[in-house]
């Protein structure tokens, strides 16, 4: 199969992935961010941090209550294990927000990766803040396992991506746009294998399949692991039928 979804603890599951088997790591870990005080950052659930309530709010998820030191240590462990599983010349892309940008760069480098830069995801619909600058961007820090052979995979990719967070068919609180993920997965060679150890609802995997890559996902929450499996199965079915519309993937999931 072009994809696998493993439900369970990421560090435990990563240990079972063979060394030098992954071409790219692309992941969106819980930011463990938000809030004006330590209590607001660590004392609220993900749903309380990132949504305003309502009947259609997606399910909550765990792992959002670490302080910055424990977050850095936790993420560095996962990135170190991912480094082992990745081929020389492979890359890692890690989403973060402005509060955790420094901690995420520390974790990336502690995991063994050579830090290569920061990409920006620009969100046009970000909420204005009176008397302040609008927080329009989230970031993707990226690094490599050793040198990058540009001739082996000669792509020219932008460092800025524009898209709003999904609304129709949204199934995860912090779901990333498949349109952005489809661009990011192009850093992986065609038919290569992409790993996401915080797979959530499977957006990285959907993008990987739509762009002709293989996917290995790890998700701690049974609820979201099930959703990821459904979305990836639907993406695979549509690809077999000659369709590659990510909105249709989510529409089919919503109908199911």
């Amino acid at each position: 199969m072009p994809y696998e979804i493993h439900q369970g603890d990421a560090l435990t599951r990563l240990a079972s992935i063979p060394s030098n088997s992954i071409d790219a790591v692309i992941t969106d870990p819980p930011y463990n961010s938000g809030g004006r005080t330590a209590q607001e950052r660590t004392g609220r659930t993900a749903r309380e941090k990132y949504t305003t309530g309502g009947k259609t709010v997606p399910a909550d998820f765990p792992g959002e209550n670490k302080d910055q030191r424990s977050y850095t240590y936790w993420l560095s462990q996962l990135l170190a294990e991912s480094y082992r599983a990745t081929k020389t010349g492979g890359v890692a892309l890690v989403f973060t927000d402005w509060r955790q940008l420094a901690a995420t760069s520390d974790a990336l480098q502690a995991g063994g990766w050579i830090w290569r830069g920061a990409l920006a995801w620009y969100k046009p619909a970000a909420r204005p803040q009176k008397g302040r600058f609008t927080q329009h961007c989230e970031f993707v820090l990226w690094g490599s396992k050793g040198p990058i052979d540009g001739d082996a995979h000669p792509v020219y990719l932008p460092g800025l991506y524009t898209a709003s967070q999904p609304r129709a068919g949204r199934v995860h609180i912090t779901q990333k746009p498949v349109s952005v993920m489809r661009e990011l997965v192009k850093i992986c060679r065609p038919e290569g294998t992409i790993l996401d150890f915080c797979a959530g609802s499977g957006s990285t995997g959907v993008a990987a399949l739509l762009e002709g890559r293989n996917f290995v996902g790890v998700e701690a929450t049974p609820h979201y692991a099930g959703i990821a499996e459904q979305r990836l199965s639907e993406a695979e079915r549509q690809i077999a039928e000659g369709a590659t519309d990510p909105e249709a993937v989510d529409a089919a999931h919503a109908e199911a």
Side-chain angles (χ1 to χ4, degrees), residues 26 38 56 78 103 115 122 139 152 155 188 202-203 224 236 253 255:
I26 303 177
T56 60
L78 294 174
W115 189 16
Y122 171 73
F139 304 94
V155 291
C188 176
S203 296
Y224 282 122
E236 189 178 39
H253 170 78
E255 291 173 1

Side-chain angles (χ1 to χ4, degrees), residues 133-220:
F133 294 103
T134 301
Q135 299 295 344
H136 268 297
C137 291
E138 292 181 28
F139 304 94
V140 183
L141 303 190
W142 77 286
S144 68
K145 182 176 180 177
I148 297 174
D149 184 357
D151 293 330
H153 182 42
V155 291
Y156 294 86
L157 301 173
L160 174 65
Y161 301 89
T162 301
S164 295
Q165 190 176 36
R167 294 185 181 275
R170 179 180 172 186
V171 292
H172 194 284
I173 295 172
T174 62
Q175 186 171 333
K176 299 302 185 284
V178 172
S179 60
V180 171
M181 303 312 298
R182 290 186 73 168
E183 293 301 309
L184 295 179
V185 301
K186 292 177 182 177
I187 192 66
C188 176
R189 65 176 180 84
E191 300 183 358
T193 300
I194 294 171
L195 167 67
D196 184 351
F197 54 75
C198 293
S201 59
S203 296
T204 303
V206 170
L209 297 189
L210 294 177
E211 294 298 329
R213 276 72 174 171
N214 303 306
F215 178 70
V216 177
V218 180
E219 171 53 37

Side-chain angles (χ1 to χ4, degrees), residues 41-199:
R41 290 192 299 274
T42 63
R44 297 182 297 164
T45 65
R47 178 180 285 181
E48 290 169 334
K49 283 185 185 180
Y50 302 126
T51 69
T52 55
K55 296 181 179 180
T56 60
V57 176
D60 212 342
F61 61 86
E64 259 292 327
N65 299 117
K66 298 177 181 66
D67 61 31
Q68 194 168 66
R69 291 181 67 184
S70 58
Y71 165 79
T72 306
Y73 179 67
W74 169 79
L75 185 57
S76 65
Q77 287 184 296
L78 294 174
L79 288 169
E81 194 62 30
S82 301
Y83 181 91
R84 175 199 58 78
T86 301
K87 301 172 184 176
T88 298
V91 300
L93 283 68
V94 186
F95 275 86
T96 189
D97 70 352
W98 64 272
R99 297 181 186 89
Q100 296 286 50
L101 198 152
T104 304
S105 73
D106 287 347
L108 184 71
Q109 294 171 85
W113 303 87
I114 300 172
W115 189 16
R116 296 290 184 179
L119 318 175
W121 166 34
Y122 171 73
K123 301 177 291 182
R127 178 174 59 86
Q129 301 184 64
K130 187 175 182 180
R132 306 184 184 187
F133 294 103
T134 301
Q135 299 295 344
H136 268 297
C137 291
E138 292 181 28
F139 304 94
V140 183
L141 303 190
W142 77 286
S144 68
K145 182 176 180 177
I148 297 174
D149 184 357
D151 293 330
H153 182 42
V155 291
Y156 294 86
L157 301 173
L160 174 65
Y161 301 89
T162 301
S164 295
Q165 190 176 36
R167 294 185 181 275
R170 179 180 172 186
V171 292
H172 194 284
I173 295 172
T174 62
Q175 186 171 333
K176 299 302 185 284
V178 172
S179 60
V180 171
M181 303 312 298
R182 290 186 73 168
E183 293 301 309
L184 295 179
V185 301
K186 292 177 182 177
I187 192 66
C188 176
R189 65 176 180 84
E191 300 183 358
T193 300
I194 294 171
L195 167 67
D196 184 351
F197 54 75
C198 293

